[in-house]
Amino acid sequence: MDFKLRMSYLDALSPSVLFGMAGIATIAAVGSLHLLISRSLKLLQNERKRRKVPCMKGVVIRSYGGISSIEVRTDLPIPKILKENEVLIKVIAAGLDNIDLLVTKGYGRCIRSHIRENNEHVQDESKIIMGRECSGIVLNIGKDVTTVSKGDEVWAVSAYCLEGLMAEYVVIKENQVALKPKNLTFEAAASMPYTAIQACNALVKASLNSKSTKGKRILLVTGNSPVGLFAMQLLKSWGGDVTTAVPTAGLPMCHELGADDVIVYTVTDFETELRKRKKFDIVLNAVGTIIHQLCVDVCSPGGKVITFTTTPILSDKFDVFFGSCLAMMLQIVAWIKKLKQGMLTNFWWDNFSYDKEYLYMTSIFVEEEKIFPIVERIYEVEEASIAFQQLAKYENVGKNVLRFTTYPT
């Protein structure tokens, strides 16, 4: 039995079998080596391409994980003009708005996702560039652009659902950019565009101007926010009687800007104090729909409540179509409820027009010295995470600004 078993082993190890096994092993080794070499060459080619493509710095998030997801990247591709109505800007400075904090947590993510799918400028869908406002210099323009030219000093704004402006170079549409006020530095100018869009939209909706504002009782909630500080300066210059609600840190600035009545909600009950006062002709609510009903209650019949933002965006929870339908239904219900109460108060929710006309309007206000920017602190772009952490404390009286480069370069 042992002899026969040994013979079967020898037959199994015949030259043909051995050569076959050696062939298989050789093919496997060559295949593995070829795969390894191919992958290495591909990585090398990608690295060479990356080095050849000009890159820029930018502040991005890769996920909606809050401010911990903030990153400063140096490998972002520089955008190019792809359409005739676009403008390429070299960014000198970019402002940080409270809306940026909400974006890091996913505010507007559903609408943003839909828009990014059809945006040719988005080259890496895993990175979302932050920033709603910036200032800089026009480097190039599309053939249809007529309002700005190469070399112009400009400021620009971007909606919360669009690509951000917190990068060394940005491409935006002509209707998002305008000449910056001549009497502002780039850092100061970068702190205003998004605020100006909100405030000017609200003032237009409320029919407030230099003639209609005089003697009107106006409530600003909250007066230490960028929108509140902007509106307060303008309304006081127009002769309005301004009441505002602020935390303790905002009290000195409100007094400096001439607020007629200040409620410090960190040391007193905000709602109780409001209800003690005579009703207001205009209520500007920068907190959101979470206090909309209170604002309606303290507004005079025939007055106006301007609520700047919904809390939260319904499309983020119910998708774009169903969220829009629900938002419309809620507004209809609110109107019916208001009519049943015998009130004629008008109100408005978060329908901003992101148009350069409001930037033109703001430039006039600034150059006439009716308003001036209030900057909390200027950070270098490498300090973006620190700037966001400081903003998240909600103790700012003005804007934080990131500086990308010193001008002139």
Side-chain angles (χ1 to χ4, degrees):
M1 293 293 295
D2 291 343
F3 176 76
K4 290 182 178 179
L5 183 63
R6 284 197 297 271
M7 289 301 293
S8 65
Y9 286 154
L10 289 173
D11 290 340
L13 295 177
S14 63
S16 60
V17 173
L18 290 174
F19 280 122
M21 293 174 63
I24 293 171
T26 302
I27 292 171
V30 171
S32 299
L33 184 61
H34 179 267
L35 182 62
L36 180 62
I37 292 173
S38 298
R39 286 182 177 179
S40 299
L41 288 174
K42 188 174 181 180
L43 289 173
L44 185 60
Q45 287 173 354
N46 290 338
E47 179 64 18
R48 286 175 178 173
K49 287 180 181 178
R50 190 187 67 80
R51 289 180 180 179
K52 289 181 180 179
V53 174
C55 294
M56 65 176 182
K57 290 181 184 177
V59 180
V60 305
I61 55 172
R62 284 184 172 272
S63 66
Y64 293 119
I67 58 174
S68 62
S69 58
I70 292 289
E71 296 180 29
V72 179
R73 306 285 302 198
T74 59
D75 59 350
L76 301 179
I78 295 176
K80 297 179 180 179
I81 290 177
L82 301 177
K83 297 180 180 179
E84 304 301 338
N85 65 340
E86 291 180 336
V87 179
L88 173 63
I89 300 173
K90 176 178 174 59
V91 174
I92 305 297
L96 277 70
D97 192 90
N98 290 339
I99 192 69
D100 291 309
L101 295 176
L102 296 178
V103 169
T104 66
K105 299 174 184 177
Y107 188 86
R109 64 182 180 273
C110 187
I111 299 174
R112 186 178 302 109
S113 176
H114 281 280
I115 293 175
R116 283 169 62 84
E117 286 178 3
N118 301 304
N119 188 341
E120 298 175 66
H121 290 291
V122 177
Q123 299 184 40
D124 186 344
E125 293 188 4
S126 68
K127 301 187 187 79
I128 298 172
I129 298 177
M130 298 298 295
R132 302 299 105 205
E133 55 194 358
C134 74
S135 63
I137 300 168
V138 175
L139 293 185
N140 203 359
I141 59 174
K143 292 181 180 179
D144 294 342
V145 175
T146 59
T147 56
V148 295
S149 305
K150 292 181 183 180
D152 283 346
E153 298 181 0
V154 296
W155 56 2
V157 67
S158 178
Y160 66 84
C161 54
L162 300 180
E163 284 301 284
L165 305 177
M166 213 171 274
E168 284 186 287
Y169 301 91
V170 296
V171 169
I172 58 175
K173 293 182 179 179
E174 183 184 13
N175 67 347
Q176 296 172 255
V177 61
L179 298 175
K180 79 173 182 64
K182 295 178 181 178
N183 57 337
L184 292 186
T185 64
F186 282 100
E187 290 81 4
S191 71
M192 295 192 75
Y194 193 76
T195 296
I197 290 292
Q198 296 177 79
C200 289
N201 269 270
L203 296 175
V204 168
K205 292 287 183 181
S207 301
L208 292 173
N209 52 51
S210 57
K211 294 181 179 179
S212 65
T213 303
K214 191 171 183 180
K216 287 275 177 43
R217 283 182 50 75
I218 303 165
L219 172 64
L220 287 176
V221 189
T222 59
N224 67 306
S225 67
V227 173
L229 293 169
F230 183 106
M232 190 184 306
Q233 294 179 68
L234 199 54
L235 293 170
K236 288 306 300 177
S237 74
W238 288 345
D241 185 299
V242 178
T243 295
T244 189
V246 297
T248 306
L251 186 60
M253 181 59 71
C254 288
H255 284 318
E256 185 177 336
L257 296 180
D260 299 282
D261 186 11
V262 182
I263 300 171
V264 183
Y265 59 73
T266 48
V267 297
T268 188
D269 185 86
F270 171 56
E271 182 173 347
T272 301
E273 289 298 319
L274 269 184
R275 294 187 185 279
K276 288 180 182 178
R277 287 159 169 77
K278 181 181 175 182
K279 290 194 174 184
F280 300 92
D281 301 307
I282 306 289
V283 178
L284 302 178
N285 169 23
V287 174
T289 48
I290 191 171
I291 65 164
H292 177 72
Q293 188 56 50
L294 172 61
C295 293
V296 170
D297 291 344
V298 299
C299 186
S300 301
K304 294 185 180 181
V305 175
I306 311 297
T307 297
F308 291 98
T309 182
T310 53
T311 332
I313 297 178
L314 295 174
S315 61
D316 285 344
K317 188 173 182 180
F318 300 101
D319 201 50
V320 175
F321 177 76
F322 292 108
S324 300
C325 292
L326 182 56
M328 186 178 297
M329 288 177 59
L330 290 175
Q331 293 222 22
I332 292 171
V333 170
W335 275 104
I336 294 172
K337 181 179 179 181
K338 184 175 61 176
L339 291 173
K340 282 184 178 180
Q341 293 173 339
M343 297 181 66
L344 298 175
T345 307
N346 293 320
F347 62 87
W348 172 75
W349 287 349
D350 193 28
N351 296 311
F352 302 152
S353 174
Y354 293 89
D355 195 277
K356 61 180 180 294
E357 295 299 325
Y358 293 108
L359 296 179
Y360 293 151
M361 186 186 300
T362 303
S363 290
I364 294 172
F365 296 150
V366 171
E367 290 173 356
E368 290 178 349
E369 298 185 348
K370 285 186 171 65
I371 56 173
F372 59 90
I374 300 173
V375 176
E376 179 83 11
R377 181 175 168 183
I378 298 172
Y379 295 83
E380 300 303 320
V381 64
E382 291 78 12
E383 301 174 297
S385 294
I386 299 172
F388 271 92
Q389 289 168 14
Q390 197 277 331
L391 180 64
K393 295 177 181 178
Y394 291 100
E395 296 174 351
N396 278 14
V397 178
K399 283 279 187 80
N400 286 344
V401 173
L402 291 182
R403 179 165 48 207
F404 279 84
T405 186
T406 303
Y407 184 77
T409 55

